[in-house]
Amino acid sequence: MYRLDPRYGPAPGTVMAAGWPAVAAHLPRTPRTVAVEGPPSVDFTRLAARLAEHHGAPVRTLDVRAHHAPPATVRRRTDDGTGDPYYRRLATNPLSDFFDELPGPPPPSTGLLLVHGPGASLVPHDVLWYADVPKRHAEAAVAAGTGRNLGLPGEPPDLRRLFYTDWPVLDRHRDALAPRVDAWLDVQDPGRPVLLDGDGLRATLAALARRPVRTRPYFNSTPWGGHWAQRELGFNPQARNTALGYELIAPEAGVLVGTGPDLQAEVPFQLLCALHPQEVLGAEAHARFGTSFPIRFDYLDTVGGGNLSVHCHPREAYMRERFGWPYTQHESYYVTLGGPGARVFLGLREDADAELFRKQVEKSAKDGVPMDPEDHVQTFPADRGRLFLIPAGTPHASGAGNVVLEISATPYLYSLRFYDWLRPDADGRPRPLPYEHGLANLDTERRGTAVARDLVQEPRVLRSGPGRREELLGALPEMFYEVRRWCLDAGAVADDDTAGRFHVLNVVEGAGVELRTAAGDRHPLAGAETLTVPAAVGPYRIAALDGPARVVKALVRPAAGAGRP
């Protein structure tokens, strides 16, 4: 059965506490300066008040947000210089850029000085806590107009700033603090925070970096979303729809650590990569991608919904030079479920006229004139089990009636839409169409029969044995990862090995499998679930449970000149 809250026990000796009285009991009893760092999505005013209320000793508070530079200065320092109405270049600022002068309070002679807010760790302190709210909550609050952006109190929140400025700045700062944080505080339930001590946090992450791990999944809603995940997986039954399913999108993914629903803390998956990059990614991937986990798995649910926008993603040089991300957004679609007549839009037709396409896209965006994308873009049947490769620059879309497992490079915030069916957003406004970016990146060379030949490849058997075979579903020289599939009969067992490269798995057909590692770990994986197998795992087995199963596997391809299994 698909698990909405996969959970991992803390390392031996880890200290956990839940509720404000229990959390406050872990504050020091002798005079100390305690810094509580975290993103703006944390309600630091409430946090400071609750900790002071339940500590039982004098507590003086200092809110560093009152010392941020003036908003005009913050905007000037973080201006990317592009004037782009759709995207911002990824910010490279340190958090200190959001201050003109940091406060320098004297150490307390009695009680505690509680310094709190984004940047609290920049003030001299004796104890460091990190308070966090998972990013999905921050995004929802900003989208609803109730959130806030870093260093801009009282101003209407902006999703672009959140994605491209706030998160890069805050993530780098958090990752740098991780080796010395004294406690992690999960405050997504403001009435019942959960504390995880720093040593226990690091010990737990060290163990998880060497064993299979599943991140906490969730689905959001969009105008094109469907209802498969609501009906089949139990997500968001009261929501408008389930559209984009976050199985493993590393910058936003979290891992649940705890002993049960009443005592669990959500920790960013990125901390695994920041603290243990060699173990998680492997030496070669770490050298190529740093601590950025480069592959993501997500669902596109259009069952009972609509077509996605016809769009493409930035090519390598454009992504690097214009947006500041060091690698680009190559994608692939694996059709988990395709309804009758369902389609995938992919690549230009042989007779496509790029100039006519441009004119129609511009007229649609500016004047609301409908166009037929099939005059320019090919469509293919969305057959279950088919993989479609989508290198950067390729126009594409998943059609209505599909469940697509998107197996892609991690960058995920640059959908360069050409046409969105004149569809309004949830507030009735036209959805943004950054078609200028799309046209600047459109691949006009691969078209017609070359699209089917290169991007809709036939499976090739790599190895086989009794009741099992491993297939290569798709690989291209310009894409740094490839997609494979294990096909297992009932009761069959397949031997595999990370061989120094992490694997990401998803059960695309069947009730589920069990992973068994050489170290003795066993991890169940149900149908539709995704699992990361860190490079440090080494040899492992996949055993089919309760019938036959198919398991998709993605991995980084060796760099040019390196060997391959």
Side-chain angles (χ1 to χ4, degrees):
M1 181 178 178
Y2 187 92
R3 281 152 288 203
L4 301 176
D5 58 348
R7 188 182 305 106
Y8 299 89
T14 298
V15 176
M16 297 191 72
W20 288 112
V23 166
H26 288 276
L27 289 168
R29 310 307 299 180
T30 55
R32 290 288 188 275
T33 298
V34 178
V36 186
E37 180 66 77
S41 49
V42 172
D43 185 345
F44 279 104
T45 302
R46 178 189 178 104
L47 179 148
R50 292 295 177 269
L51 289 178
E53 174 188 352
H54 294 288
H55 180 53
V59 176
R60 181 165 58 96
T61 63
L62 171 61
D63 189 341
V64 295
R65 294 173 297 182
H67 297 268
H68 279 148
T73 301
V74 169
R75 285 193 295 270
R76 175 176 54 79
R77 290 175 180 171
T78 57
D79 183 8
D80 67 354
T82 66
D84 192 325
Y86 305 109
Y87 307 104
R88 296 174 64 91
R89 185 177 176 83
L90 291 181
T92 58
N93 305 75
L95 187 52
S96 57
D97 274 1
F98 290 75
F99 298 87
D100 279 337
E101 184 177 356
L102 287 159
S109 57
T110 59
L112 296 183
L113 172 60
L114 189 67
V115 184
H116 59 90
S121 62
L122 302 175
V123 176
H125 55 271
D126 304 300
V127 176
L128 175 61
W129 287 14
Y130 195 97
D132 194 45
V133 172
K135 286 181 175 177
R136 61 184 178 275
H137 298 294
E139 180 179 350
V142 169
T146 59
R148 62 189 66 184
N149 288 115
L150 181 63
L152 299 176
E155 297 195 2
D158 175 33
L159 281 172
R160 288 193 313 135
R161 284 198 68 92
L162 181 73
F163 295 153
Y164 306 113
T165 302
D166 298 359
W167 283 355
V169 170
L170 293 163
D171 287 357
R172 281 193 303 274
H173 188 70
R174 176 204 61 207
D175 292 356
L177 295 178
R180 64 180 185 86
V181 69
D182 295 298
W184 182 271
L185 195 58
D186 180 336
V187 291
Q188 60 184 300
D189 179 351
R192 197 172 187 275
V194 177
L195 177 141
L196 183 65
D197 79 289
D199 289 340
L201 167 71
R202 286 180 287 273
T204 301
L205 293 176
L208 291 175
R210 295 166 174 83
R211 54 182 290 195
V213 61
R214 172 163 165 71
T215 56
R216 185 181 201 173
Y218 76 98
F219 273 77
N220 67 11
S221 295
T222 73
W224 50 259
H227 305 281
W228 168 80
Q230 290 173 313
R231 298 166 183 163
E232 301 299 325
L233 305 182
F235 273 101
N236 307 339
Q238 306 305 318
R240 183 173 74 250
N241 56 50
T242 41
L244 179 62
Y246 287 59
E247 280 290 304
L248 172 64
I249 300 183
E252 296 194 33
V255 179
L256 286 175
V257 174
T259 57
D262 294 330
L263 189 62
Q264 64 183 20
E266 190 167 344
V267 178
F269 176 81
Q270 172 58 27
L271 289 186
L272 277 170
C273 304
L275 292 172
H276 303 283
Q278 295 260 15
E279 293 85 351
V280 176
L281 283 84
E284 184 181 327
H286 175 38
R288 291 169 68 182
F289 301 103
T291 61
S292 175
F293 192 86
I295 292 178
R296 63 184 168 91
F297 275 40
D298 58 84
Y299 283 115
L300 304 175
D301 175 6
T302 61
V303 175
N307 299 322
L308 268 68
S309 63
V310 179
H311 62 287
C312 73
H313 299 293
R315 298 201 196 187
E316 191 86 37
Y318 198 96
M319 177 71 98
R320 185 172 55 252
E321 295 162 11
R322 183 63 184 258
F323 298 135
W325 198 295
Y327 61 101
T328 199
Q329 196 168 342
H330 297 302
E331 296 190 336
S332 66
Y333 284 174
Y334 183 93
V335 181
T336 299
L337 178 67
R343 302 171 297 167
V344 167
F345 297 77
L346 182 69
L348 291 176
R349 290 171 38 153
E350 190 73 57
D351 60 352
D353 182 330
E355 180 61 20
L356 179 60
F357 180 60
R358 179 188 66 79
K359 289 179 179 178
Q360 291 188 358
V361 165
E362 289 179 345
K363 193 167 184 62
S364 174
K366 294 176 181 178
D367 302 327
V369 176
M371 64 177 287
D372 187 351
E374 291 185 60
D375 290 342
H376 311 279
V377 179
Q378 300 184 71
T379 65
F380 296 85
D383 295 330
R384 186 180 189 188
R386 173 68 73 181
L387 181 79
F388 298 90
L389 297 174
I390 312 169
T394 305
H396 65 282
S398 176
N402 293 337
V403 177
V404 163
L405 177 64
E406 193 172 44
I407 304 168
S408 305
T410 289
Y412 65 111
L413 295 172
Y414 305 94
S415 291
L416 313 180
R417 290 190 286 269
F418 299 111
Y419 184 66
D420 197 31
W421 316 95
L422 305 184
R423 180 168 45 203
D425 65 14
D427 297 320
R429 298 169 298 195
R431 297 185 80 204
L433 282 175
Y435 65 87
E436 300 96 333
H437 286 301
L439 293 169
N441 285 275
L442 179 64
D443 181 358
T444 60
E445 298 299 317
R446 185 183 274 130
R447 55 171 65 211
T449 57
V451 172
R453 180 195 65 219
D454 297 344
L455 307 187
V456 193
Q457 300 175 6
E458 292 299 322
R460 288 157 279 172
V461 176
L462 297 175
R463 50 182 166 161
S464 62
R468 66 185 184 274
R469 70 179 183 276
E470 185 182 24
E471 304 168 327
L472 177 63
L473 298 184
L476 281 176
E478 64 260 49
M479 295 176 66
F480 67 80
Y481 67 93
E482 64 186 43
V483 181
R484 304 181 184 184
R485 179 174 62 195
W486 277 110
C487 300
L488 305 175
D489 293 344
V493 176
D495 288 307
D496 213 330
D497 193 333
T498 61
R501 292 181 288 164
F502 71 86
H503 294 173
V504 184
L505 309 179
N506 179 283
V507 179
V508 292
E509 291 185 45
V513 299
E514 182 180 68
L515 261 71
R516 303 164 184 171
T517 73
D521 294 311
R522 292 189 170 217
H523 197 299
L525 191 64
E529 291 186 341
T530 299
L531 188 70
T532 301
V533 186
V537 166
Y540 68 94
R541 288 184 158 187
I542 305 175
L545 303 175
D546 301 323
R550 290 190 172 193
V551 181
V552 157
K553 175 176 75 176
L555 66 163
V556 173
R557 305 176 71 212
R564 58 184 296 130

